[in-house]
Amino acid sequence: MILYKYVRFDDAIRILEEQTLAFSHLEDFNDPFECTGLGLYELNVPLKVATNAFINRFSRKYIILCLTRTAVNPLMWSHYGDSHKGVVIGIDTQKAGFENIEQYIIPVQKGEIRYLRTNPKDINKANIDNLVGVGDSKLLNWEYNEELLKHALLYKMQDWAYEEEVRIVKNISSIGAGYHYSSKKEFEIDGQIWSRIQLPTRPIYCIKIPKEAFVDITIGLASYKELKRLQEYETQSSNTSKIKKIEFLFELARSMKMSVYRTERNDDIWSLERKNINSIFCGE
């Protein structure tokens, strides 16, 4: 299947140059209710205490890549595409290896988010066995404990339904790296090579995927408008630099045989549409 990643312009260049995608810990996502749809019962401690214990285990034992089903969602462009100044990258999940059930505890074909109006109740036991099983591939996997995995990682509030999110989840419990620091920067997990990068506020884990897995890029509405304005004043050195950066992204995409699109408004039906472009200097 083809799914999409909304990113800032500079991040799009880095992703395509390095041919990598970054996975993050659950606790670094922007939803404060991540992993709270567990439906815990048989509690001998307050619900919040039990839930926080599970959240901590799930966040530190797994890393997640979030993708979406559409490249023309105005809210997604505003929230994750740098207010329409960024780029959406189309990814073939089969070619990327994200459909491999042996590599990912939740591969892409099982990673569709379920959006709920109410918090689940009485689904998973809040016992020590379930808690310590988080991260243990023998105790917690899709075959034997699908409900706990889905409720922890794939259930979100209805408010987030606009994202049309699909996740890929990797178990990293075997590497023994801390959240705040690790002396190792590269790890082998299940035959895959992962790079750990410590950002100022959080770590990310990057994996290289085949270049054929990158299928297209879509330029945001604001970016394309800016490009057309810059072309009118390209004699200014600062503008020339910006144009070269945009040109570089386009040439990078073409060298990887990726289709290139821009977004435009359809005022009749209040929606965004994609339009294929052959040249950044076209006069559409």
Side-chain angles (χ1 to χ4, degrees):
M1 72 179 79
I2 306 299
L3 297 177
Y4 299 94
K5 184 71 175 175
Y6 288 73
V7 295
R8 294 177 178 271
F9 204 96
D10 288 346
D11 290 337
I13 291 176
R14 177 188 55 78
I15 288 170
L16 296 184
E17 273 194 304
E18 299 176 1
Q19 295 168 32
T20 62
L21 289 171
F23 286 58
S24 299
H25 287 280
L26 194 71
E27 65 200 81
D28 296 317
F29 292 171
N30 59 357
D31 178 5
F33 290 95
E34 287 284 359
C35 199
T36 61
L38 292 162
L40 298 176
Y41 68 96
E42 291 191 6
L43 298 163
N44 55 15
V45 296
L47 175 61
K48 188 172 183 179
V49 172
T51 300
N52 283 342
F54 275 91
I55 290 174
N56 184 66
R57 292 283 293 186
F58 271 104
S59 182
R60 300 301 171 91
K61 299 295 183 179
Y62 303 104
I63 51 175
I64 302 170
L65 173 65
C66 303
L67 303 175
T68 184
R69 293 191 178 279
T70 177
V72 289
N73 185 317
L75 284 175
M76 291 293 286
W77 272 109
S78 296
H79 297 164
Y80 301 105
D82 195 18
S83 298
H84 299 262
K85 297 190 293 289
V87 176
V88 168
I89 301 174
I91 298 159
D92 185 317
T93 60
Q94 192 277 327
K95 293 179 180 177
F98 294 148
E99 299 179 14
N100 189 334
I101 191 70
E102 302 298 324
Q103 298 283 0
Y104 297 96
I105 189 168
I106 302 180
V108 69
Q109 66 270 26
K110 297 183 181 295
E112 184 172 359
I113 294 293
R114 283 76 163 172
Y115 299 101
L116 308 178
R117 294 189 180 277
T118 58
N119 200 344
K121 307 294 182 184
D122 302 329
I123 305 295
N124 296 293
K125 288 185 179 180
N127 60 34
I128 193 64
D129 290 336
N130 274 345
L131 181 61
V132 299
V134 175
D136 188 326
S137 58
K138 294 180 180 178
L139 297 177
L140 182 60
N141 56 57
W142 193 267
E143 182 179 359
Y144 296 112
N145 214 328
E146 177 182 339
E147 286 302 318
L148 183 56
L149 279 173
K150 288 197 304 187
H151 281 79
L153 302 175
L154 300 180
Y155 281 14
K156 298 187 67 172
M157 299 164 64
Q158 182 67 31
D159 307 63
W160 298 92
Y162 74 91
E163 293 186 342
E164 299 183 68
E165 184 181 350
V166 183
R167 290 179 172 178
I168 302 99
V169 182
K170 181 71 178 179
N171 186 337
I172 62 165
S173 58
S174 63
I175 67 176
Y179 176 83
H180 298 287
Y181 174 78
S182 173
S183 58
K184 293 182 64 177
K185 306 302 179 187
E186 191 171 278
F187 304 89
E188 182 176 342
I189 313 172
D190 303 322
Q192 296 175 308
I193 303 299
W194 292 80
S195 298
R196 184 185 187 279
I197 300 172
Q198 184 68 47
L199 301 178
T201 57
R202 63 189 180 94
I204 58 174
Y205 292 80
C206 296
I207 185 167
K208 190 176 181 69
I209 64 175
K211 68 177 182 179
E212 310 86 61
F214 296 99
V215 295
D216 59 46
I217 60 171
T218 304
I219 307 301
L221 186 63
S223 274
Y224 193 77
K225 286 182 176 179
E226 180 185 28
L227 171 62
K228 305 312 288 184
R229 286 195 299 267
L230 291 177
Q231 288 173 339
E232 297 175 6
Y233 303 99
E234 61 181 331
T235 55
Q236 299 180 23
S237 60
S238 60
N239 290 340
T240 301
S241 175
K242 290 180 182 178
I243 290 176
K244 286 183 177 178
K245 183 183 292 187
I246 296 172
E247 281 186 290
F248 179 70
L249 176 64
F250 276 59
E251 291 307 316
L252 187 60
R254 289 199 181 92
S255 72
M256 297 170 67
K257 295 181 170 50
M258 300 172 68
S259 299
V260 180
Y261 299 89
R262 67 176 176 92
T263 53
E264 65 175 20
R265 290 198 325 258
N266 184 326
D267 295 341
D268 290 334
I269 58 174
W270 268 7
S271 69
L272 289 177
E273 297 177 341
R274 291 205 302 173
K275 185 171 184 178
N276 192 277
I277 51 178
N278 297 317
S279 169
I280 57 173
F281 297 107
C282 58
E284 303 123 336

